[in-house]
Amino acid sequence: MSYTVSGWACAKNYTGSIDVDLYFGGPYGTGFPYGRFQASQSSEPGVAAACQSTGAAYRFNILVNNSTAKAQAGKTIFIHGINPWNGQDGVMNTVIGNSGNVSLPTLPVVQHDIRGYIDVVSKQTDGSALVSGWACVSAYDASIQVDLYAGGPFGTGTSMGRFSASIASEAGIAAACSASGSNYRFSIPLSAYDAIRYAGKSVWMHGINPFDSSGASNLVIPNSGYLRFPEINLIRDPLADAGVSPYIATLPAAETALCKSNWAAAGKLTSGAPWGFVEIAELTYFCKNPANAAPKVPGQPLVYRSADASKVIAMNPGGTAIDQERSIDFTIDTSKEWRQGCNLSLPDSSGNKPQYGGSAWNWPHLLMQQDIQNPEMPSAPLDMTRFGTMTLGASIKLASSEKSPSTYNDAQGNCTSGTWGAGSYFSNHEIFYLNVVLRNKSDNSQIYVLVPTFYSEDGSKAIPRTVGWIGNDPLAKDATYFAPGLPILQLGQWVDFSVDVQDIAAKAITAYNGKFGTSYTKSNFTLASFFMGYEVWGSYKAKVQVKNLSLKVR
């Protein structure tokens, strides 16, 4: 900002122009000397008359530069005319009229405050992240630096470094900065390691004020604390776009390998696909249906069917009035299975023996499974204590469900007494669950921690679980735990699940210790794998849809 001091000056009875000296705050001897200038610009006849002369060049217009205008703001103006006769006749370099009555304007106090906004924290495909936004100091055209923190501002958060907000920015940002610069944006990259390290922590940023070396005015940038570094989803490929491997419990290994090869050749299985099927069946294996090895049709969703279509897993593309979003759809009808689901390891009513039935797991299973990878070191197991928060999320809809009649049932509608072993008898039931698996570091035994989204005996209503339950799995060292107090499915409705995995894992370990007399804690376990799907005892027909699947950690 600059100003001009204007007026006129002359020497009486002198037709030539004279010089003038400009002072601020007082006359010669007390004021600040700004310089000597000429009063030689064109002037009116009235000025010449006042000078008792005939000259025509007595005016001055003196430019006061920006720095002096700031330094001398509000100071009175004094101008001395320079006597061309050097003091002869007793005329000295006196101040001209109106000196001391005019002042430089008082400048407004400019608050050089931090301004800006954190626009977004985005996760990149390679696992890294970007923190983007803008920052500036008001009334300052140059770029500034910013300090990035995780989990809190300076003093409580973890410093992640100092970065420059110097990327090209829009005119609207300059206006918000009350400045005329054009480089106020930042886009700060975080490595995949740091993205994992700070996953889920709040994002904070301080602007560095170049006008305050004390740091007291390095204020936080707006939107700090409201955004978070991206949480990590341990569920890879949550919609199974890469396909599903035939990872099967009771089908011989040679048949499984051939099936996997055929599906890959058909374009229905990408190398490294994380998901695998867990099927326990006799008549309805997906690998037994040649249609599943037909070439994938471009643009069409993946669908896996048994030969009789009684069992289907479909990658639903959504986009319809009923199913607007993508989902994974599970359909099962165990009335078409061996013995209509009443023990797959026993002979049928005609005395025929099953080809695949095993005595350990002898009821129908239709599951999808994937191993949990350590995001920091995929080849190493993921310790249960590595992340403080683990949240299992999904939206699930029970599209249909009913109990089917069976020739293997008794009058109560259950598989006949002894079906499940000598002296054993219990009600037929179906269960659709989500399942995280804890693996013991010392002996590799596992606890299957189930979220029983739908446990039903009559096929239409879920039975809520109000207390936890733990029992032996068919493998002697393993156990299964049913977590209590969680939502249950209602027919035709999407139900949202947000499950604290650390909480249900702790309850499962406590129940395990109580049953088996151990004293384990979470530090004794890794998070090994995840399952979702059906287990059925008896004859049922049902369909469940799953979307928004995640296992987020921070």
Side-chain angles (χ1 to χ4, degrees), residues 400-484:
S400 62
S401 180
E402 62 182 63
K403 187 175 183 178
S404 305
S406 171
T407 57
Y408 291 88
N409 285 354
D410 59 16
Q412 285 72 43
N414 300 317
C415 299
T416 56
S417 180
T419 294
W420 305 107
S424 68
Y425 181 81
F426 51 80
S427 298
N428 287 3
H429 57 280
E430 61 170 320
I431 178 173
F432 188 94
Y433 59 74
L434 309 177
N435 173 21
V436 291
V437 181
L438 311 184
R439 181 172 294 154
N440 193 303
K441 296 176 184 178
S442 61
D443 61 7
N444 288 325
S445 62
Q446 300 186 135
I447 303 177
Y448 297 88
V449 185
L450 269 60
V451 176
T453 68
F454 186 71
Y455 180 99
S456 179
E457 295 179 358
D458 67 6
S460 62
K461 294 181 181 179
I463 300 174
R465 178 159 295 281
T466 57
V467 296
W469 177 87
I470 193 162
N472 292 87
D473 203 67
L475 288 180
K477 296 188 296 183
D478 292 352
T480 299
Y481 176 76
F482 283 68

Side-chain angles (χ1 to χ4, degrees), residues 126-482:
D126 62 357
S128 63
L130 280 177
V131 181
S132 302
W134 60 274
C136 64
V137 167
S138 61
Y140 184 61
D141 294 340
S143 301
I144 67 168
Q145 292 184 307
V146 292
D147 284 354
L148 180 61
Y149 289 83
F154 170 77
T156 59
T158 301
S159 173
M160 301 183 67
R162 179 165 289 184
F163 306 90
S164 179
S166 57
I167 300 174
S169 55
E170 311 87 84
I173 290 178
C177 295
S178 301
S180 58
S182 58
N183 296 88
Y184 298 124
R185 283 203 165 274
F186 57 80
S187 185
I188 301 171
L190 274 71
S191 67
Y193 173 79
D194 279 341
I196 293 169
R197 183 181 177 191
Y198 299 110
K201 291 187 178 295
S202 55
V203 178
W204 294 79
M205 186 172 288
H206 288 261
I208 305 305
N209 194 328
F211 294 93
D212 182 2
S213 60
S214 72
S217 58
N218 294 342
L219 303 180
V220 293
I221 291 173
N223 216 27
S224 289
Y226 291 97
L227 299 178
R228 291 184 177 273
F229 293 107
E231 293 178 306
I232 301 166
N233 188 1
L234 296 181
I235 301 296
R236 293 166 289 144
D237 191 18
L239 287 166
D241 291 319
V244 187
S245 292
Y247 172 80
I248 301 170
T250 56
L251 199 67
E255 291 189 50
T256 300
L258 178 61
C259 180
K260 184 175 182 178
S261 176
N262 290 339
W263 288 2
K268 293 181 175 178
L269 181 62
T270 303
S271 176
W275 287 107
F277 287 128
V278 177
E279 296 178 274
I280 296 179
E282 175 66 22
L283 305 176
T284 61
Y285 278 119
F286 290 146
C287 283
K288 292 294 186 180
N289 182 11
N292 289 327
K296 184 181 185 301
V297 179
Q300 294 297 311
L302 289 172
V303 179
Y304 303 85
R305 293 184 178 88
S306 61
D308 64 357
S310 66
K311 192 170 71 178
V312 182
I313 288 185
M315 313 314 162
N316 186 338
T320 68
I322 297 176
D323 297 323
Q324 297 180 12
E325 298 180 63
R326 298 178 65 193
S327 62
I328 299 178
D329 298 355
F330 295 76
T331 301
I332 192 168
D333 182 357
T334 56
S335 69
K336 305 294 179 63
E337 251 300 349
W338 185 262
R339 289 177 53 86
Q340 296 174 322
C342 283
N343 198 325
L344 307 180
S345 67
L346 297 178
D348 66 10
S349 57
S350 299
N352 300 309
K353 293 183 178 180
Q355 181 179 359
Y356 303 112
S359 58
W361 292 276
N362 49 22
W363 59 95
H365 290 56
L366 176 59
L367 303 164
M368 289 176 63
Q369 177 270 350
Q370 66 171 258
D371 293 334
I372 298 297
Q373 284 190 349
N374 185 332
E376 295 170 297
M377 189 180 299
S379 61
L382 178 60
D383 197 290
M384 275 299 297
T385 60
R386 169 59 185 86
F387 294 101
T389 299
M390 295 183 176
T391 304
L392 177 60
S395 297
I396 307 177
K397 182 171 77 172
L398 179 66
S400 62
S401 180
E402 62 182 63
K403 187 175 183 178
S404 305
S406 171
T407 57
Y408 291 88
N409 285 354
D410 59 16
Q412 285 72 43
N414 300 317
C415 299
T416 56
S417 180
T419 294
W420 305 107
S424 68
Y425 181 81
F426 51 80
S427 298
N428 287 3
H429 57 280
E430 61 170 320
I431 178 173
F432 188 94
Y433 59 74
L434 309 177
N435 173 21
V436 291
V437 181
L438 311 184
R439 181 172 294 154
N440 193 303
K441 296 176 184 178
S442 61
D443 61 7
N444 288 325
S445 62
Q446 300 186 135
I447 303 177
Y448 297 88
V449 185
L450 269 60
V451 176
T453 68
F454 186 71
Y455 180 99
S456 179
E457 295 179 358
D458 67 6
S460 62
K461 294 181 181 179
I463 300 174
R465 178 159 295 281
T466 57
V467 296
W469 177 87
I470 193 162
N472 292 87
D473 203 67
L475 288 180
K477 296 188 296 183
D478 292 352
T480 299
Y481 176 76
F482 283 68

